[in-house]
Amino acid sequence: MSASLINDQPGLERSVTVIRPSRGWVSVDLRELWQYRELLYFLTWRDVKVRYKQTIIGFAWAILQPVFMMIVFSLFFGILANIPSGNVPYPLFTYAALLPWMLFSNGLNRASLSLVADANLIQKVYFPRMLLPISGILSPLIDFAIAFVVLIGLMFYFGFLPGFNILWVLVFLLLELMLAAGLGLWLAAINVEYRDIAYAIPFLLQLVLFASPVIYSSSFVPPRYQVIYGLLNPMAGIIEGLRWAILGTDPPGVLVFASAGIIIFVLISGVYYFKRREKLFADVV
Amino acid sequence: MEVAIRVDNIGKRYRIGQTASYKTLRDVVMNTVTKPFRPRAEKSSDFSHIWALRNISFEVGRGEVIGIIGGNGAGKSTILKILSRITEPSEGQAELYGRVSSLLEVGVGFHPELTGRENIYFNGAVLGMKRTEVMRKFNDIVDFSEIGQFLDTPVKHYSSGMYVRLAFSVAAHLDPDVLIVDEVLAVGDLAFQKKCLGKMNAVAGGGRTVFFVSHNLDAVRALCPRTILLNHGRMQKDGRTADVIDLYLKEENLTAASLTEPKSP
């Protein structure tokens, strides 16, 4: 939809909204997204508020899920299969990877289903539709922050004090959110028309978990395949990068650059695909 | 006359079948595979269109209250959705001057698990109010809704009347220059409906432009000096409410009569 809001201030008179059919490629209106930032906040806030309603242990779920996965992985892959984790104790090694993984998979899942879940909003109110998948990406950050406290506890317990490299965590988290947003925009837009996405996602995410260096190190993949690995699974670069920043494992090198490149591509293409399909959402969803 | 809404030759075309149902990838594949084997007529019907709305042009002056009426399928919802920017027109152009709010349903985005207080904030944001604005109007909203003591109860425990009253109160405190409203008055008990009507009158009297779509002819008569009658996606009449409603009723009666009339052999 091509509509422009010249100003939105109640005090300033005569802003004008123009409505006409859109043609071809539609540009992304960053100004408008900024104007709607409060709605983004409230959408995310609602998601967080509602998530653990009517549960007994509430936000403890944010800790229980990764901790239990860590225990199971440590038992089967760390002790029984004896997968090497360098000089890092296996529980810490896998927990540091599980957190970004869960952030990614929860965010992507929510984002993909967001348009259909809020179909009623789409059919009754105007706002930039992009806010829905983006809020789906952002709301699991709360769970991530809560589970991160446990990570800090584990680090103290095993005597791993982070260096200055810990600041890189922010860069890798940003990359991860960009990846989740790019994929989320693609899948959310497709899911409006083809509900297959809703069935495919949980299953695909499970496959990608095992294709990501969560239970093993990316050095399992031979050096000459590292670039291809990073391109095919951008989460690999992110997870190894975070592990390096937090635990001081071997720096992941070329893997990260391959992943970062593909992430930027996924994000830009996702935004444009979404914008192109956006006008059909209200009629189709 | 200062213009608040200008609609210029707006049309909306729907592809038949497009809105039909959920498609899965399998359906698309099956369609592509079976298409060559289907008779030609059926193939062409895949691409047929209908105009839900066509050649609609009108202007609404600032502070004017205009009603839109018409039977089922006349295109009332379509024009509402276009002006609310929910769906885009296939042709033509419309301009809206000033801050626009549209109210196609009361309580859009209300979440059953959130409390009344939380829903006021969330719903306010959905309708385009700033947080500071909601805070400023909070007490008025709560007073108007008469739900006072249940403010911190999740709305899933509300009676349907309470729910609707709260939802309407939030909407009633929007402060737009142009207000686009669907049949939101047909809610709540009679006393509350009167109150809403009063509020709407106040809004209309306050120099705001109201675009009011309704089945409720009494409400249209009470609120709107001018009315547009839509019929099968075309503008049939635009004029004084009394005249337009007369025409509409006369046609309705004709249709009703032709339906009940026994068919002659």
Side-chain angles (χ1 to χ4, degrees):
Chain A
M1 180 154 318
S2 111
S4 55
L5 232 61
I6 293 186
N7 87 66
D8 191 31
Q9 304 292 314
L12 300 167
E13 291 293 310
R14 307 306 272 178
S15 62
V16 57
T17 313
V18 180
I19 297 168
R20 67 166 84 92
S22 59
R23 305 245 180 272
W25 291 97
V26 198
S27 64
V28 185
D29 192 344
L30 291 176
R31 266 186 64 125
E32 191 188 38
L33 282 178
W34 177 247
Q35 277 174 341
Y36 277 89
R37 64 192 179 278
E38 279 197 359
L39 181 55
L40 176 61
Y41 166 79
F42 274 111
L43 285 168
T44 313
W45 168 87
R46 176 195 62 172
D47 235 23
V48 172
K49 271 268 173 186
V50 167
R51 181 158 332 146
Y52 297 112
K53 280 273 163 87
Q54 264 199 20
T55 62
I56 296 174
I57 61 170
F59 275 92
W61 278 112
I63 291 176
L64 276 187
Q65 288 172 347
V67 165
F68 271 96
M69 280 180 89
M70 172 194 74
I71 292 172
V72 171
F73 283 5
S74 300
L75 266 177
F76 285 91
F77 301 113
I79 297 173
L80 293 180
N82 206 14
I83 288 175
S85 55
N87 52 1
V88 181
Y90 191 85
L92 190 52
F93 174 87
T94 196
Y95 190 76
L98 271 169
L99 292 196
W101 171 258
M102 293 183 83
L103 175 63
F104 172 75
S105 67
N106 286 337
L108 186 58
N109 200 25
R110 283 170 178 280
S112 309
L113 307 180
S114 61
L115 295 175
V116 174
D118 274 318
N120 189 42
L121 280 187
I122 292 179
Q123 286 167 331
K124 301 293 178 191
V125 211
Y126 173 77
F127 57 93
R129 306 313 188 196
M130 219 174 260
L131 299 183
L132 288 173
I134 293 176
S135 79
I137 302 288
L138 294 181
S139 75
L141 275 171
I142 300 290
D143 302 60
F144 178 81
I146 295 170
F148 204 85
V149 176
V150 176
L151 178 64
I152 294 172
L154 280 176
M155 286 169 73
F156 271 105
Y157 178 77
F158 288 112
F160 270 81
L161 294 181
F164 278 116
N165 280 341
I166 191 90
L167 291 177
W168 283 95
V169 166
L170 296 177
V171 175
F172 288 111
L173 278 184
L174 183 66
L175 273 176
E176 172 168 347
L177 294 178
M178 285 165 63
L179 175 64
L183 286 174
L185 288 170
W186 270 103
L187 295 176
I190 299 175
N191 192 41
V192 168
E193 264 184 290
Y194 306 110
R195 301 295 152 94
D196 306 64
I197 298 297
Y199 297 101
I201 283 181
F203 151 77
L204 284 177
L205 279 172
Q206 237 163 26
L207 290 185
V208 182
L209 167 62
F210 290 107
S212 302
V214 174
I215 50 183
Y216 52 86
S217 157
S218 67
S219 57
F220 265 40
V221 177
R224 61 198 165 112
Y225 293 125
Q226 287 278 320
V227 172
I228 298 181
Y229 185 36
L231 289 175
L232 287 180
N233 181 3
M235 273 308 281
I238 290 170
I239 289 174
E240 278 306 338
L242 279 167
R243 224 182 233 145
W244 163 75
I246 299 171
L247 301 174
T249 51
D250 296 333
V254 68
L255 182 67
V256 171
F257 296 104
S259 295
I262 202 78
I263 286 169
I264 289 169
F265 171 73
V266 168
L267 180 60
I268 292 175
S269 63
V271 167
Y272 278 95
Y273 180 73
F274 191 91
K275 287 302 289 184
R276 256 183 98 85
R277 306 302 293 172
E278 192 176 27
K279 60 176 173 180
L280 298 174
F281 291 165
D283 295 334
V284 178
V285 74
Chain B
M1 179 183 79
E2 209 173 354
V3 176
I5 306 176
R6 177 179 291 126
V7 173
D8 186 15
N9 207 22
I10 285 273
K12 173 76 180 181
R13 193 176 56 177
Y14 281 109
R15 214 162 80 190
I16 298 182
Q18 182 195 22
T19 53
S21 62
Y22 306 123
K23 281 190 290 184
T24 66
L25 286 173
R26 193 187 64 172
D27 297 338
V28 174
V29 172
M30 284 305 284
N31 272 333
T32 325
V33 172
T34 57
K35 195 171 273 174
F37 307 110
R38 271 181 280 159
R40 188 167 280 273
E42 197 184 330
K43 226 191 294 187
S44 66
S45 76
D46 280 359
F47 298 101
S48 63
H49 297 100
I50 72 160
W51 287 92
L53 211 58
R54 199 151 203 205
N55 300 329
I56 304 295
S57 300
F58 57 87
E59 282 186 2
V60 182
R62 198 173 186 184
E64 205 176 345
V65 179
I66 187 166
I68 307 287
I69 59 173
N72 288 327
K76 298 190 302 290
S77 322
T78 308
I79 187 78
L80 264 179
K81 282 186 182 170
I82 290 172
L83 292 182
S84 311
R85 296 205 281 161
I86 284 158
T87 185
E88 68 173 32
S90 311
E91 61 178 30
Q93 178 167 323
E95 288 151 29
L96 302 163
Y97 293 87
R99 189 174 137 158
V100 183
S101 294
S102 57
L103 207 55
L104 304 200
E105 189 179 289
V106 285
V108 191
F110 261 44
H111 196 289
E113 295 287 352
L114 296 178
T115 66
R117 181 190 302 276
E118 290 165 342
N119 268 312
I120 290 177
Y121 278 95
F122 183 65
N123 191 232
V126 166
L127 295 176
M129 283 197 235
K130 300 262 173 253
R131 191 162 30 158
T132 48
E133 193 183 340
V134 179
M135 280 153 104
R136 205 173 59 234
K137 295 175 180 167
F138 192 83
N139 289 333
D140 293 341
I141 294 176
V142 175
D143 287 347
F144 190 85
S145 71
E146 305 162 11
I147 57 146
Q149 67 197 92
F150 298 104
L151 196 53
D152 291 305
T153 308
V155 300
K156 66 175 176 183
H157 299 309
Y158 281 24
S159 71
S160 53
M162 285 160 67
Y163 182 94
V164 159
R165 285 207 304 271
L166 181 64
F168 188 86
S169 309
V170 181
H173 288 81
L174 284 166
D175 220 359
D177 300 314
V178 178
L179 179 63
I180 301 171
V181 210
D182 203 356
E183 314 253 14
V184 286
L185 290 175
V187 296
D189 53 23
L190 219 61
F192 194 73
Q193 273 190 32
K194 280 225 174 79
K195 198 168 161 184
C196 294
L197 219 63
K199 185 80 187 170
M200 288 278 299
N201 257 323
V203 167
R208 296 198 180 84
T209 312
V210 181
F211 187 85
F212 182 60
V213 174
S214 187
H215 270 118
N216 182 346
L217 298 180
D218 291 332
V220 173
R221 244 191 280 263
L223 287 172
C224 318
R226 175 183 161 200
T227 296
I228 291 177
L229 172 62
L230 293 179
N231 191 355
H232 292 101
R234 308 291 196 275
M235 272 180 68
Q236 191 178 355
K237 193 169 168 67
D238 174 355
R240 279 182 44 229
T241 297
D243 304 343
V244 176
I245 288 183
D246 280 351
L247 177 66
Y248 175 60
L249 287 178
K250 209 164 73 190
E251 286 198 346
E252 286 282 280
N253 285 338
L254 278 180
T255 335
S258 75
L259 282 177
T260 50
E261 216 169 82
K263 274 203 181 108
S264 47

